[in-house]
Amino acid sequence: MKPRDSLRILVAALLAAAAAADEVSPVTELEDIVVVGRQKAAATDVLVERIEQPVVTDLLGAAQIARVGDSSAALALRRLPGVTLVGDFVYIRGLGERYSSTTLNGAYVPSPDLTRNVIPLDIFPAEIIDSLSIQKGYTPDRPASFGGGNVDIRTRRIPEDFTFSVQAGTGTNSDNSGDVLSYRGGGDDRLGTDDGTRALPAALREAIKTYRGGIDPFSIQETLGFDGSAATLAEAEAVNRALAISLNRDIDLQSTSPDPDHSLEVSIGDRWTLDEAGRWEVGVLALADYQNQWRNKDRINRSALLPDIDNGTTQRSINQVALTGSLTAGLNFTADHSIGVMAMFLRNTDNEAALTQRNNFNFRRDQGAQLRDYRIRFEERELAMLQLSGSHTLGEDTADLLGRFFEPWPLLRGLQYSWYYSDATAKTGIPNEVTVSAVDSVDPATGLVLGTAIRSTSSAADFRFTDLRDEVQSYGWKLERPFDFPNRELTGTISGGWDYYQKGRGYLQTQFGLGTVTSGALGILAGTPGQVFSDANILDPANGFLLNIGGIGTESYLAGEVVEAAFGAVDVTWKDTWRLSAGARWEDWKQLSLPVDPLQFDPRIGKIEIAPEALGSIGMAQDDYYPAFALTWMRKDFWAEDFQLRFGWSRTTARPDLREVTDSTYIDPFTEARVIGNPGLAPSDLTNFDLRAEWFFANGDNFTVSPFYKQIDNPIETVEGAGTDNNLSFTFVNGESADLYGVEVEWFKDLGFASRWLGAWAAGLFTAGNITWSDSELTIGSSTLSLTNDVRPLNQQSDLIVNLQLGYDSPGGAHSAVVVYNSYSERLFYAGRNGAPDAYERPFHSLDFIYTWYPAERWSLRVRLQNLLDEKVEIDQGGVTVLEQGIGMSGKLDLSWRF
């Protein structure tokens, strides 16, 4: 039986089991379980905060995330209205990651992603999350870099009482039915870190310094001759070959049986009272989480121009390891004062082995030849963060403590002061990323591979070493004073504050090529990479192997960003009917991005020099005000018990990423396209309009309709750049203008009335979901890139996004189940040029099923079945599927014990 058939049978079996369990399990057996309607309670818990927000905001609580079985912040956020997932990044209302900001507990966080300036949300496991907030209406206390919304990830806080939990899980994927590709790695791969096996050899590191950036035989001979000795070219070639064998070439691919997915989470925490009056409290919460899984992610690539000739099939296997540790501590004095500290460490590693067989105009299977590429890639991403925060109110308890010292300052009563400090470092390392190119001899009639030989080129083997480091410091404060005029039925707050953020980024890529073009070496090129690039073959002068250093352009760069901001706002409510929130934010933004070539050594000073006149062309600055206005009308018994009608207007900005404004070049890991920055990019200006009508019913039901409109000047878009016949290229441009508009509809409905026809068991049925319809129009204008369509939709904007949930809570609370459907319509992936059509990502339909059984008070068993429709990611260009990648159906089982 195939794994996918087993998954479908398991769905049916679990549904039947859940129904049967409710029929035979009396409630008295579960008398210790007092939770009734677990999923419905989770859906309504966040409504109070949502109602109290001054602007349009969507929230997800930890219980809701657990309900649908999402394993990361990125997967959870796609359940909210108008949110889709593109790779590891969320798109809000059709706007990409550059049009949104992400904060962790309200503080800026750096990105360990090589291709983005914003943090990929898949690195945050669901286990550390207390709630997720997407603020779609702008307020001045948020960063002005705001378009689709601000995502705030709120981590778990100190518990109210002692808590201890353990969760162990396992799982599999339908695409793992056979073997996976692997290779000999390091001893610490299970921990998601390299033990030094893949590190840049010390000999090569020293050689780059010694030979002033050039390790070819001529540069070596020149350096060796500086001391007056007469080094021969043969001696320099011998030095070059000795450097070549210092590289790790133990890279032969092998098929192996994958381990099942496995995970383990442990958390413990408590809160203690320090005095008899119970005014002083201290608490702590510690959490550790480990996840390890294998996935086959096979891929098919085709050229839109010659799909039958220029195409390739890639067998890819990725071992994904995630390691998380966090420690939270807090000190409280009554409800007036609290100080907290949070330390967090995240590691997320992808260890990839891939084998590609491809054809092009020069290597055609029907003519007896095809290309073969061996590839290994170990990407380790880490985020380490320390946060301090505090909240202080001059309330009644504080006034009693201060006594007569407080009496001369009655107007200060109720004054609130909050502050934060955050220091974070994000690192990404890709040591010894290797691609080896070979040629297969094939039988034209059957396609059977008759033999394989490494290509006779100077860079048949490509070795890359990549390091990225982001360091971010941010801190700020907010002062807030409530006021109340009972006679006029007027209440509100006046607030103001200050934020500071600085970020430094260093990106270094070192690339080596190894190969031979000597005709006498053709006999030893047959075989695997490990066999051909052996010590004996490389050191033999007759084979002519040479090591060179270089790359596809200027890959390395240095960058920095500084934002200083001040804000003020007023929030007024009159007769519990009208609420007005208005204010403005001032931001002074500076950015500097500098491409560097670490091989450009000045022999006199031994370091890289930057001409002062070059600094003016590599920096940008923006100093502006960003106003916001929101008005809410509140009314009782307007169809529902509570009704709110919100209107919001604001002006914000979207700034280019650090990498987008350099001449640096990198390879996109998803499309394998070459991406080139554009130093001429300018920030975008946005004008935002929001309207939301919200109905909240006494039984927990709710219904929301949210129209929105955004006008964007100088929108930043990704377009197809100038490439080669075999390589796709992307770059970035400013368009003239863009318009985005749409409407979101969201609901939660108790279906308990169905019990009248279906029986008592149906009292626990409910439905929840949201549908977003939107449209956009982008005008590129005077671009010099010869784009095929000057007017088109925004990148990654979907006309229709659908999220549907059908859930069930058993009467005794022993069982819960939910079917979750998520889909998005066709969306533009990149714009074509020179007559080539635009490329679109085809619609994707995701169907998941989650069942949870609570056999006892402290135990739970959860089954998650994901992507039951076995959908694939497909990119279409002019009727040709230029990229096709499998995802597979996943099954996961978690067992939890909580005290």
Side-chain angles (χ1 to χ4, degrees):
M1 181 182 295
K2 296 181 179 179
R4 61 192 63 189
D5 296 330
S6 301
L7 290 175
R8 292 191 177 104
I9 293 173
L10 186 57
V11 172
L14 286 170
L15 286 171
D22 280 330
E23 294 175 2
V24 302
S25 299
V27 177
T28 55
E29 294 180 5
L30 299 169
E31 59 186 2
D32 289 334
I33 298 179
V34 297
V35 179
V36 178
R38 297 171 186 268
Q39 299 188 75
K40 288 187 285 186
T44 56
D45 280 347
V46 298
L47 284 183
V48 174
E49 181 181 355
R50 176 175 145 184
I51 292 172
E52 293 177 350
Q53 292 294 317
V55 295
V56 174
T57 304
D58 292 320
L59 298 114
L60 269 178
Q64 289 176 284
I65 297 171
R67 179 187 75 196
V68 295
D70 291 325
S71 58
S72 70
L75 291 174
L77 284 168
R78 67 188 173 128
R79 311 295 184 185
L80 291 174
V83 179
T84 56
L85 192 61
V86 180
D88 302 330
F89 301 89
V90 293
Y91 277 54
I92 305 173
R93 290 179 167 176
L95 293 174
E97 70 280 353
R98 73 166 54 83
Y99 290 99
S100 303
S101 58
T102 300
T103 54
L104 183 67
N105 298 319
Y108 293 90
V109 283
S111 172
D113 191 88
L114 299 173
T115 63
R116 302 290 194 279
N117 193 35
V118 297
I119 192 164
L121 297 179
D122 68 318
I123 72 169
F124 293 101
E127 289 74 18
I128 70 168
I129 297 172
D130 182 69
S131 64
L132 296 169
S133 168
I134 294 186
Q135 186 176 303
K136 296 178 178 177
Y138 179 66
T139 54
D141 59 341
R142 296 287 87 198
S145 184
F146 180 100
N150 169 256
V151 178
D152 188 32
I153 303 170
R154 303 158 177 180
T155 56
R156 290 172 60 179
R157 296 163 291 186
I158 60 174
E160 294 295 327
D161 206 341
F162 177 75
T163 178
F164 177 73
S165 66
V166 178
Q167 176 177 293
T170 186
T172 188
N173 183 275
S174 61
D175 284 352
N176 289 5
S177 56
D179 289 340
V180 296
L181 284 179
S182 184
Y183 64 97
R184 190 188 301 273
D188 294 333
D189 286 4
R190 285 187 174 274
L191 298 177
T193 189
D194 181 53
D195 63 358
T197 300
R198 304 174 180 86
L200 179 64
L204 271 174
R205 195 183 302 273
E206 289 301 316
I208 293 173
K209 298 178 182 179
T210 301
Y211 305 116
R212 304 186 307 281
I215 60 170
D216 60 278
F218 294 103
S219 297
I220 294 173
Q221 183 185 23
E222 180 183 4
T223 303
L224 293 176
F226 279 170
D227 60 1
S229 61
T232 66
L233 184 60
E235 291 173 333
E237 290 173 344
V239 172
N240 178 273
R241 291 191 295 271
L243 292 173
I245 65 170
S246 68
L247 288 166
N248 176 25
R249 290 151 289 119
D250 190 4
I251 55 175
D252 280 350
L253 303 183
Q254 54 192 6
S255 294
T256 185
S257 179
D259 293 332
D261 299 351
H262 49 281
S263 62
L264 179 66
E265 176 208 338
V266 179
S267 67
I268 185 170
D270 202 354
R271 181 181 296 213
W272 301 272
T273 300
L274 302 181
D275 64 332
E276 293 183 359
R279 295 165 59 152
W280 290 92
E281 291 181 330
V282 64
V284 65
L285 176 67
L287 182 144
D289 179 74
Y290 174 81
Q291 302 177 37
N292 190 315
Q293 67 177 28
W294 281 93
R295 289 293 181 268
N296 279 328
K297 296 187 177 182
D298 296 349
R299 175 184 292 171
I300 299 174
N301 293 83
R302 301 179 184 90
S303 162
L305 184 62
L306 299 169
D308 296 330
I309 296 176
D310 189 358
N311 56 66
T313 301
T314 302
Q315 180 184 353
R316 301 169 64 225
S317 299
I318 303 176
N319 181 211
Q320 299 171 310
V321 176
L323 187 65
T324 303
S326 69
L327 179 65
T328 302
L331 175 66
N332 299 332
F333 173 72
T334 66
D336 286 354
H337 302 275
S338 64
I339 296 176
V341 58
M342 189 274 290
M344 178 184 295
F345 174 80
L346 303 174
R347 177 184 293 156
N348 189 292
T349 300
D350 288 348
N351 189 5
E352 176 182 342
L355 177 63
T356 300
Q357 293 174 297
R358 55 188 176 94
N359 297 269
N360 58 29
F361 192 79
N362 297 316
F363 295 87
R364 298 175 56 170
R365 184 176 299 177
D366 58 0
Q367 295 178 358
Q370 68 180 10
L371 292 171
R372 175 185 291 258
D373 295 331
Y374 306 87
R375 182 174 181 236
I376 63 170
R377 189 175 193 269
F378 185 92
E379 180 176 355
E380 179 182 347
R381 302 182 296 179
E382 291 184 352
L383 174 65
M385 172 174 284
L386 175 66
Q387 288 188 341
L388 301 172
S389 61
S391 177
H392 310 277
T393 303
L394 295 179
E396 296 296 332
D397 294 312
T398 304
D400 291 342
L401 181 67
L402 295 177
R404 60 186 181 86
F405 296 102
F406 190 74
E407 293 177 0
W409 312 99
L411 293 178
L412 296 182
R413 188 180 296 272
L415 187 67
Q416 301 171 7
Y417 175 74
S418 59
W419 56 272
Y420 71 94
Y421 172 83
S422 177
D423 193 338
T425 299
K427 297 187 293 184
T428 295
I430 310 179
N432 206 47
E433 179 183 2
V434 184
T435 302
V436 179
S437 181
V439 178
D440 288 340
S441 298
V442 299
D443 185 330
T446 64
L448 181 67
V449 177
L450 305 175
T452 301
I454 303 300
R455 297 186 69 181
S456 179
T457 67
S458 60
S459 296
D462 180 87
F463 299 80
R464 295 184 189 179
F465 299 83
T466 303
D467 288 290
L468 175 143
R469 184 181 182 92
D470 265 9
E471 294 186 352
V472 168
Q473 281 188 341
S474 61
Y475 41 90
W477 54 265
K478 181 179 181 180
L479 198 61
E480 192 170 14
R481 174 66 166 86
F483 60 84
D484 184 4
F485 298 99
N487 295 335
R488 299 183 180 180
E489 300 183 77
L490 188 69
T491 61
T493 59
I494 297 176
S495 62
W498 178 81
D499 290 315
Y500 180 81
Y501 158 82
Q502 66 176 23
K503 175 178 182 177
R505 167 175 282 198
Y507 178 82
L508 175 65
Q509 180 173 298
T510 308
Q511 184 172 350
F512 301 92
L514 177 62
T516 177
V517 294
T518 303
S519 58
L522 294 178
I524 58 97
L525 293 180
T528 66
Q531 294 168 341
V532 173
F533 295 104
S534 65
D535 287 359
N537 285 344
I538 293 175
L539 292 176
D540 187 347
N543 292 329
F545 279 99
L546 287 178
L547 180 68
N548 58 77
I549 187 170
I552 58 176
T554 304
E555 296 87 3
S556 303
Y557 69 98
L558 301 174
E561 188 174 44
V562 175
V563 178
E564 187 173 3
F567 60 89
V570 60
D571 188 351
V572 179
T573 300
W574 181 62
K575 290 187 175 182
D576 291 328
T577 302
W578 292 95
R579 181 178 182 180
L580 171 67
S581 299
R585 183 181 183 91
W586 167 82
E587 280 195 356
D588 184 10
W589 169 76
K590 299 180 179 68
Q591 184 186 79
L592 183 71
S593 295
L594 174 67
V596 297
D597 185 350
L599 305 181
Q600 288 184 349
F601 277 76
D602 187 323
R604 298 166 300 173
I605 59 176
K607 63 180 180 181
I608 304 169
E609 280 194 323
I610 303 171
E613 58 271 17
L615 294 176
S617 62
I618 58 178
M620 283 191 291
Q622 187 181 53
D623 180 355
D624 207 346
Y625 289 89
Y626 302 94
F629 171 87
L631 182 65
T632 303
W633 178 53
M634 298 165 283
R635 179 174 173 179
K636 296 285 186 180
D637 301 320
F638 185 70
W639 182 31
E641 283 75 12
D642 289 288
F643 170 75
Q644 291 189 150
L645 180 64
R646 303 178 185 270
F647 169 77
W649 169 89
S650 62
R651 284 184 53 246
T652 55
T653 187
R655 293 154 182 156
D657 293 350
L658 292 173
R659 180 133 212 181
E660 293 173 349
V661 293
T662 74
D663 288 323
S664 302
T665 305
Y666 63 93
I667 302 298
D668 180 78
F670 180 66
T671 62
E672 298 183 354
R674 182 179 299 182
V675 184
I676 306 169
N678 177 7
L681 286 179
S684 305
D685 296 319
L686 293 90
T687 304
N688 312 286
F689 296 90
D690 291 284
L691 188 66
R692 171 172 282 192
E694 302 172 300
W695 289 267
F696 303 99
F697 299 85
N699 64 350
D701 292 354
N702 60 82
F703 183 73
T704 302
V705 180
S706 308
F708 61 89
Y709 171 74
K710 296 179 182 294
Q711 181 180 350
I712 310 173
D713 295 327
N714 297 321
I716 303 172
E717 283 287 291
T718 302
V719 298
E720 185 178 358
T724 65
D725 292 339
N726 299 323
N727 292 294
L728 186 64
S729 174
F730 294 150
T731 190
F732 311 97
V733 298
N734 279 113
E736 283 187 356
S737 63
D739 294 285
L740 172 67
Y741 51 91
V743 61
E744 301 167 343
V745 179
E746 183 181 13
W747 68 89
F748 179 91
K749 176 61 181 173
D750 188 339
L751 300 179
F753 59 84
S755 60
R756 288 179 288 181
W757 305 286
L758 301 178
W761 71 270
L765 287 172
F766 67 93
T767 181
N770 54 78
I771 298 175
T772 301
W773 172 85
S774 64
D775 198 6
S776 65
E777 183 176 281
L778 166 73
T779 302
I780 293 294
S782 57
S783 172
T784 59
L785 295 173
S786 304
L787 297 179
T788 303
N789 296 309
D790 181 62
V791 179
R792 56 173 177 80
L794 288 164
N795 275 359
Q796 301 292 349
Q797 180 261 320
S798 297
D799 290 344
L800 185 66
I801 304 170
V802 178
N803 286 292
L804 302 176
Q805 297 181 27
L806 177 62
Y808 173 70
D809 291 319
S810 68
H815 305 274
S816 66
V818 62
V819 178
V820 184
Y821 172 76
N822 171 268
S823 73
Y824 55 81
S825 62
E826 179 182 78
R827 57 192 187 189
L828 181 70
F829 195 74
Y830 61 84
R833 62 190 298 270
N834 294 325
D838 296 337
Y840 283 84
E841 183 177 355
R842 290 177 178 170
F844 189 92
H845 304 272
S846 171
L847 182 65
D848 302 339
F849 172 76
I850 301 92
Y851 165 73
T852 307
W853 177 38
Y854 305 89
E857 179 183 4
R858 306 191 189 283
W859 291 91
S860 65
L861 181 70
R862 181 176 62 179
V863 176
R864 294 177 284 173
L865 305 177
Q866 297 171 319
N867 193 29
L868 291 172
L869 301 178
D870 200 16
E871 288 281 271
K872 298 179 179 180
V873 176
E874 295 179 313
I875 309 298
D876 181 276
Q877 189 174 17
V880 176
T881 304
V882 296
L883 188 146
E884 179 181 332
Q885 179 170 296
I887 295 177
M889 299 182 293
S890 295
K892 300 180 180 180
L893 179 68
D894 298 318
L895 179 64
S896 301
W897 183 85
R898 301 179 186 277
F899 181 84

